[in-house]
Amino acid sequence: QKEVEQNSGPLSVPEGAIASLNCTYSDRGSQSFFWYRQYSGKSPELIMFIYSNGDKEDGRFTAQLNKASQYVSLLIRDSQPSDSATYLCAVNYGGSQGNLIFGKGTKLSVKP
Amino acid sequence: DGGITQSPKYLFRKEGQNVTLSCEQNLNHDAMYWYRQDPGQGLRLIYYSQIVNDFQKGDIAEGYSVSREKKESFPLTVTSAQKNPTAFYLCASSIYSGVGETQYFGPGTRLLVL
């Protein structure tokens, strides 16, 4: 059974702080990893994807991947109230179909 | 304006009724997907299609049906056999980026049972 685990939260951080969101996955064959942001009542929006071990930065967002530990994280620097949302981690376990397994999401609240 | 559209935004189903959710994309993506999201739950895959006239069942296909007659369109029918259809339905399409597929989502359809 392939699984993706996330702490459901809520994770509360003050405005301007770094928010750290974590995700673990069960299948060592997993090849690509995605972070989506979902505002309440809206559809998921792709923030970042990462394929290789290490860090990938895009503006205030940094994705970190450690395949040996089966761990992927998302750091949000200078958190803003507009970052308050549920963050979904998704893992592609390989194969040609491109299917993703989603975690249940971590709810982030950024307090002004 | 490229993207994925879903209609309607809200849909009400009566007992014993089949309803069809529309999903259209003009991104020229080959693959399309249908997910269901329940409160506090992750997204669960209903059906996916890699090419026209071909589709495969996902984890929770029972009570649903799909068709893929055109590359741009992937409608989902929720049949009367689906006993608990109330959920947020999300359509996605994907493009291969050299190392994997990247999925993008439409705005979703919220289905409610009367």
Side-chain angles (χ1 to χ4, degrees), chain B residues 43-91:
Chain B
L43 276 67
R44 292 184 290 168
L45 183 65
I46 304 173
Y47 269 98
Y48 65 97
S49 169
Q50 297 289 305
I51 56 173
V52 174
N53 292 323
D54 188 49
F55 48 83
Q56 281 76 44
K57 293 181 179 180
D59 300 321
I60 55 164
E62 186 174 349
Y64 301 96
S65 65
V66 294
S67 63
R68 187 88 186 275
E69 297 177 0
K70 299 186 299 181
K71 185 176 183 177
E72 302 79 18
S73 179
F74 192 40
L76 173 74
T77 296
V78 183
T79 75
S80 57
Q82 173 49 245
K83 297 306 179 187
N84 185 22
T86 297
F88 189 36
Y89 289 86
L90 292 158
C91 177

Side-chain angles (χ1 to χ4, degrees), chain A residues 2-110:
Chain A
K2 297 178 173 67
E3 294 182 338
V4 176
E5 299 286 342
Q6 293 182 257
N7 188 322
S8 62
L11 173 66
S12 184
V13 300
E15 183 174 356
I18 296 175
S20 178
L21 304 161
N22 305 315
C23 173
T24 59
Y25 59 95
S26 62
D27 184 31
R28 287 194 173 274
S30 300
Q31 298 180 348
S32 49
F33 308 85
F34 302 82
W35 283 100
Y36 289 84
R37 176 176 63 198
Q38 186 174 24
Y39 292 114
S40 181
K42 302 295 185 182
S43 64
E45 171 192 9
L46 181 67
I47 299 175
M48 293 189 69
F49 56 84
I50 186 167
Y51 302 121
S52 304
N53 274 329
D55 295 359
K56 180 182 178 183
E57 188 174 317
D58 184 1
R60 296 187 296 112
F61 298 97
T62 299
Q64 299 176 317
L65 176 61
N66 184 326
K67 289 186 177 181
S69 300
Q70 295 174 236
Y71 177 94
V72 59
S73 64
L74 179 70
L75 301 179
I76 306 175
R77 290 182 299 282
D78 188 23
S79 295
Q80 301 297 310
S82 59
D83 294 325
S84 298
T86 296
Y87 290 80
L88 305 176
C89 172
V91 175
N92 182 325
Y93 52 82
S96 60
Q97 65 268 38
N99 291 351
L100 299 180
I101 297 178
F102 285 82
K104 294 182 179 180
T106 297
K107 188 171 184 177
L108 172 66
S109 177
V110 181

Side-chain angles (χ1 to χ4, degrees), chain A residues 41-42, chain B residues 6-12 88 108-112:
Chain A
K42 302 295 185 182
Chain B
Q6 290 186 244
S7 63
K9 187 174 180 179
Y10 295 96
L11 185 58
F12 298 91
F88 189 36
T109 292
R110 203 165 293 276
L111 177 60
L112 300 166

